[in-house]
Amino acid sequence: MSHTVRKLFIDFEKEEQWLNDMAAKGLALTEYSWARYVFEESGKGEYIYRIELLEDGIKGAKSVEYLQFMEEAGVERVIMNKGPAAHNKWVIFRRKASEGPFTIYSDTDSKIKHYRRIHRLWMSVALMEFIIGFMNVGLVALDYIGIVSNINLVMGLLLIILGAAFLLFSVPVHQKIKKLQSDKLIRE
Amino acid sequence: MTEGVYYILLSLFTPMHGYGIMQNVKLLSNQRVDLGAGTLYGALGTLVERGWIEPLQGIQDSRKKEYKITQEGILAVQSELTRLDELLSNGRKLLGGESE
């Protein structure tokens, strides 16, 4: 029997933790789309889940080679149902827990690189929201004749708030990068 | 050199594919070093770029890519050994004698 859960995460590590908690209870994620997760019943703790932001879209040449490599390492990719899957860079992997602990990044450098990709993503989303947001507000401010409706003002303000939210999301990621960088000073 | 890279290079004295390297590094380190698949993938790319390892031109339809250490890679391992020797002997000079 499958169970569908609607939930939205910003922090991929919290999402990962939640998926692993569900797996521990015997509910294994089998497919997902935006904010929607489908679980199938499985053995308790049968799978370990990991989430990664790829450098390239799933169908990009770099990713195809990488995903092939993961497959050879016994790693399965959970299907992304619907949505702009072709351009999506977020992937959910899983591997049987019987194969031992499953991590994607095991050293400081590669962890930093991964967090940087996420940081860059949130920053560019924020920037885009700001640009479109301020353009909308600007249109209203410059409009003497009154063709531009208040919808633009509301839209603009909402986008600016959204941009600020993404800027906020990037802060903890930045802190994790800083922390890892200081670890590196001691460890290497 | 990170311990991961060091153990990857040691593994590749025998040609191996990705999954084999992960298993071998675990074995060599008594389960201590568990290379993440993403970390290994990135390291293999960097090492090929540097010319320390090379993909084996094996059977075309074999989908699993195998790698092998190059002469340059062997030199890199040798100079790493010299460095590690120095680290070890300096540490032992200070601590090793006392504990025996």
Side-chain angles (χ1 to χ4, degrees):
Chain A
M1 222 184 93
S2 69
H3 305 257
T4 303
V5 182
R6 289 181 180 279
K7 214 169 157 80
L8 183 60
F9 286 94
I10 286 298
D11 184 333
F12 82 98
E13 282 163 308
K14 283 190 184 139
E15 184 178 0
E16 213 175 69
Q17 186 59 53
W18 178 67
L19 293 177
N20 286 319
D21 288 346
M22 293 294 270
K25 282 188 237 163
L27 288 171
L29 181 79
T30 49
E31 58 173 87
Y32 67 104
S33 49
W34 198 76
R36 184 174 165 274
Y37 301 82
V38 181
F39 296 89
E40 296 285 343
E41 279 165 27
S42 73
K44 282 186 179 167
E46 195 178 336
Y47 292 98
I48 301 170
Y49 287 84
R50 293 283 171 239
I51 300 173
E52 184 179 8
L53 178 67
L54 301 175
E55 278 176 58
D56 211 356
I58 282 174
K59 302 223 167 120
K62 260 190 195 171
S63 298
V64 168
E65 208 190 299
Y66 178 60
L67 293 172
Q68 166 87 43
F69 181 87
M70 293 300 267
E71 212 182 296
E72 284 165 19
V75 179
E76 224 182 300
R77 182 162 67 85
V78 181
I79 307 160
M80 166 110 185
N81 199 11
K82 288 185 286 193
H87 304 288
N88 194 34
K89 293 183 180 180
W90 286 106
V91 281
I92 301 180
F93 290 115
R94 72 174 187 183
R95 198 171 74 177
K96 291 244 179 198
S98 56
E99 302 231 1
F102 170 41
T103 49
I104 295 177
Y105 292 117
S106 53
D107 75 349
T108 320
D109 270 329
S110 52
K111 279 180 200 160
I112 291 176
K113 255 175 115 180
H114 185 224
Y115 281 128
R116 282 219 177 106
R117 282 208 287 277
I118 295 165
H119 189 253
R120 224 175 297 133
L121 175 68
W122 291 159
M123 293 294 267
S124 56
V125 172
L127 186 70
M128 229 169 58
E129 315 271 26
F130 280 139
I131 291 173
I132 303 171
F134 281 111
M135 263 168 53
N136 273 286
V137 174
L139 273 178
V140 178
L142 292 171
D143 180 36
Y144 303 112
I145 329 160
I147 345 167
V148 185
S149 72
N150 278 337
I151 293 173
N152 288 80
L153 184 66
V154 174
M155 267 263 295
L157 290 176
L158 278 177
L159 283 171
I160 291 167
I161 292 169
L162 214 61
F166 275 97
L167 213 54
L168 219 64
F169 299 150
S170 75
V171 174
V173 182
H174 183 70
Q175 283 165 344
K176 279 174 193 160
I177 296 171
K178 286 273 160 225
K179 166 93 178 47
L180 283 171
Q181 278 171 337
S182 71
D183 280 357
K184 244 185 94 176
L185 274 177
I186 300 168
R187 292 200 178 184
E188 274 157 37
Chain B
M1 194 181 282
T2 63
E3 56 183 24
V5 166
Y6 178 70
Y7 273 142
I8 292 169
L9 290 175
L10 287 193
S11 301
L12 291 179
F13 276 76
T14 320
M16 256 176 221
H17 55 76
Y19 189 63
I21 297 170
M22 281 158 87
Q23 298 298 315
N24 193 56
V25 168
K26 247 195 209 169
L27 203 74
L28 280 174
S29 66
N30 286 321
Q31 313 289 314
R32 190 180 59 84
V33 182
D34 191 1
L35 282 178
T39 296
L40 173 62
Y41 184 79
L44 289 175
T46 311
L47 290 173
V48 169
E49 233 168 72
R50 289 218 178 165
W52 288 5
I53 63 171
E54 59 191 5
L56 227 57
Q57 307 298 324
I59 317 128
Q60 283 298 310
D61 54 63
S62 144
R63 297 184 80 190
K64 290 187 179 183
K65 218 185 211 172
E66 282 195 320
Y67 297 88
K68 191 182 184 306
I69 195 165
T70 61
Q71 205 51 45
E72 263 180 273
I74 294 173
L75 286 176
V77 172
Q78 273 163 352
S79 75
E80 180 65 5
L81 271 182
T82 315
R83 190 182 75 94
L84 291 172
D85 264 341
E86 175 221 289
L87 291 172
L88 263 181
S89 76
N90 278 322
R92 285 217 171 105
K93 259 183 224 160
L94 272 170
L95 296 176
E98 286 170 28
S99 62
E100 272 164 34

